[in-house]
């Protein structure tokens, strides 16, 4: 019966013959187990058609759920992570306690051995988002309704004039929530930090969704945060250098760069950034001799930084 429930949870229609074949039982046993699952609260409907079949529908209440051992452990890990400093921390803690109570002893022991410490950034680094704001934004995105809200561009600034947008997606990027929307007044795509949004009511009229640049939200967000127009995920500035240091010393700090070993004491690094100066400064952090392979803009950025640092080295303080 539990194996039957596991198949039904794959969100597809199953004929009685298919279920019987997959489980190695008779169609009569399938019908009997379906009836037992219905008695437990699972809303299983009968699919009409030549072959007939069954479908697990969404119910009006939470029936008993089936998890295998690995799923239960994964869920506990996710809840422990969410229980520290997130928007739903309190609810995650209660859910974890509920899950632990219904676990068999062998799994409860594994969970009790697992202790996760989620180290939070410095205060204010990732401001918490009001869960109600997330729910309000999710609703208007689903309803495709125009949204008005007050928005504070910076942490120490007051909200500017109300913004009018067509909201499209809620996304997280490096621990922060963002709203992706078409700004009706600026006639362009914008990303807004959710912790700085204060929705206004009522909402506006319904709208037909526009096509997001890049074709999907992942491409768009990655592109925008890398300084592009939303259609390309590559960094606008990408260079290649040889570092006089082992590849093993570079790889852990290269982020999304490519590190190739050339010799025990040399490696090639291909890395990108939002500007040539930013790229040169990032490469300089490896604190070793550098040979620029290309492009020329990267070599120019190194020269500009060298001159700037040389001027800084000659100063000893205000008025020097």
């Amino acid at each position: 019966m539990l194996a039957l429930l596991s198949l039904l949870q794959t969100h597809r229609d199953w004929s009685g013959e298919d279920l019987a074949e997959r489980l190695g039982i008779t169609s009569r046993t399938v019908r009997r187990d379906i009836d037992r699952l219905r008695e437990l609260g699972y809303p299983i409907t009968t699919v009409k058609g030549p072959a007939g079949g069954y479908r697990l529908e969404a119910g009006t209440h939470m029936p008993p759920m089936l998890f295998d051992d690995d799923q239960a452990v994964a869920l506990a890990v996710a809840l422990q992570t969410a229980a520290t400093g997130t928007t739903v921390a309190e609810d995650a803690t209660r859910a974890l306690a509920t899950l632990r109570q219904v676990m068999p002893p062998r799994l409860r022991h594994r969970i009790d051995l697992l202790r996760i410490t989620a180290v939070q950034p410095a205060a204010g680094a990732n401001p918490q988002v009001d869960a109600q704001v997330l729910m309000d934004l999710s609703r208007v995105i689903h309803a495709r309704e125009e949204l008005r809200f007050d928005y504070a561009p910076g942490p120490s600034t007051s909200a500017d004039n109300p913004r009018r947008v067509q909201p499209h997606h809620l996304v997280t990027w490096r621990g922060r929530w963002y709203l992706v929307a078409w700004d009706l007044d600026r006639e362009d795509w914008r990303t807004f930090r959710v912790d700085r949004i204060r929705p206004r009511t009522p909402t506006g009229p319904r709208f037909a969704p526009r096509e997001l640049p890049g074709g999907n939200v992942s491409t768009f967000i990655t592109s925008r945060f890398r300084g592009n127009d939303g259609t390309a995920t590559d960094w606008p500035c990408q260079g290649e250098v040889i570092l006089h240091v082992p590849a093993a010393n570079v790889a852990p700090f290269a982020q999304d760069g490519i590190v190739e070993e050339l010799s025990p004491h040399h490696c090639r690094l291909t890395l990108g950034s939002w500007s040539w100066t930013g790229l040169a400064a990032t490469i300089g952090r490896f604190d070793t001799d550098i040979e620029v392979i290309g492009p020329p803009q990267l070599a120019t950025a190194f020269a500009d930084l060298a001159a700037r640092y040389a001027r800084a080295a000659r100063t000893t303080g205000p008025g020097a």
Side-chain angles (χ1 to χ4, degrees):
M1 187 171 65
L2 295 178
L4 170 63
L5 179 58
S6 180
L7 291 176
L8 291 173
Q9 288 181 151
T10 58
H11 303 290
R12 55 161 285 188
D13 296 343
W14 288 90
S15 70
E17 292 181 358
D18 287 342
L19 289 171
E21 182 179 352
R22 287 290 296 269
L23 298 171
I25 58 178
T26 65
S27 296
R28 180 179 179 181
T29 303
V30 170
R31 291 192 297 271
R32 183 190 63 195
D33 288 345
I34 289 289
D35 290 338
R36 288 181 178 177
L37 289 173
R38 286 169 173 162
E39 292 173 0
L40 290 173
Y42 291 95
I44 301 173
T45 59
T46 301
V47 180
K48 297 181 179 180
Y54 304 97
R55 177 189 303 133
L56 180 63
E57 302 284 1
T60 57
H61 64 280
M62 288 287 289
M65 290 181 289
L66 173 67
F67 298 106
D68 61 31
D69 288 7
D70 291 338
Q71 288 175 323
V73 172
L75 182 57
V77 170
L79 288 172
Q80 284 198 38
T81 303
T84 305
T86 66
T87 303
V88 293
E90 182 178 349
D91 292 334
T93 300
R94 292 192 297 109
L96 180 60
T98 301
L99 178 65
R100 185 185 179 280
Q101 288 178 353
V102 299
M103 280 183 171
R106 69 179 188 281
L107 284 183
R108 190 180 305 123
H109 177 67
R110 290 174 63 183
I111 297 303
D112 289 343
L113 292 176
L114 181 64
R115 287 291 180 264
I116 298 174
T117 301
V119 179
Q120 297 302 306
N126 287 326
Q128 294 302 300
V129 174
D130 188 333
Q132 186 58 51
V133 173
L134 287 177
M135 295 300 298
D136 292 342
L137 295 180
S138 297
R139 188 195 66 78
V140 293
I141 290 171
H142 180 75
R144 297 177 179 175
E145 295 175 350
E146 291 182 5
L147 175 68
R148 296 184 308 143
F149 58 87
D150 296 313
Y151 189 71
S156 60
T157 59
S158 58
D160 59 5
N161 294 330
R163 311 296 284 265
R164 296 189 311 119
V165 303
Q166 294 176 347
H168 281 258
H169 294 85
L170 273 176
V171 300
T172 58
W173 176 271
R174 296 184 177 178
R176 287 177 176 164
W177 284 93
Y178 293 89
L179 171 68
V180 178
W182 174 263
D183 193 308
L184 291 165
D185 295 322
R186 292 156 180 81
E187 296 185 345
D188 193 12
W189 290 97
R190 292 288 192 270
T191 56
F192 302 93
R193 278 182 45 175
V194 174
D195 60 290
R196 297 176 181 174
I197 290 177
R198 295 297 176 266
R200 289 190 171 197
T201 55
T203 55
R206 291 174 58 86
F207 63 89
R210 301 169 184 265
E211 183 177 354
L212 196 64
N216 60 72
V217 68
S218 177
T219 298
F220 175 78
I221 286 293
T222 301
S223 177
R224 280 297 178 94
F225 279 101
R226 289 184 172 181
N228 284 320
D229 61 359
T231 61
T233 56
D234 292 335
W235 288 103
C237 302
Q238 183 165 296
E240 189 174 348
V241 298
I242 293 177
L243 301 178
H244 292 211
V245 68
N249 293 358
V250 175
F253 309 101
Q255 299 180 350
D256 57 354
I258 299 174
V259 182
E260 303 172 70
E261 183 178 17
L262 300 180
S263 74
H265 304 290
H266 296 80
C267 67
R268 178 186 289 111
L269 172 64
T270 303
L271 193 64
S273 182
W274 57 275
S275 73
W276 293 112
T277 303
L279 179 57
T282 299
I283 295 173
R285 292 188 299 109
F286 289 101
D287 193 23
T288 187
D289 289 338
I290 302 168
E291 300 175 39
V292 177
I293 299 176
Q297 295 93 322
L298 179 57
T300 300
F302 274 116
D304 292 341
L305 280 179
R308 189 175 303 162
Y309 292 159
R311 289 193 297 270
R314 292 193 295 266
T315 62
T316 57

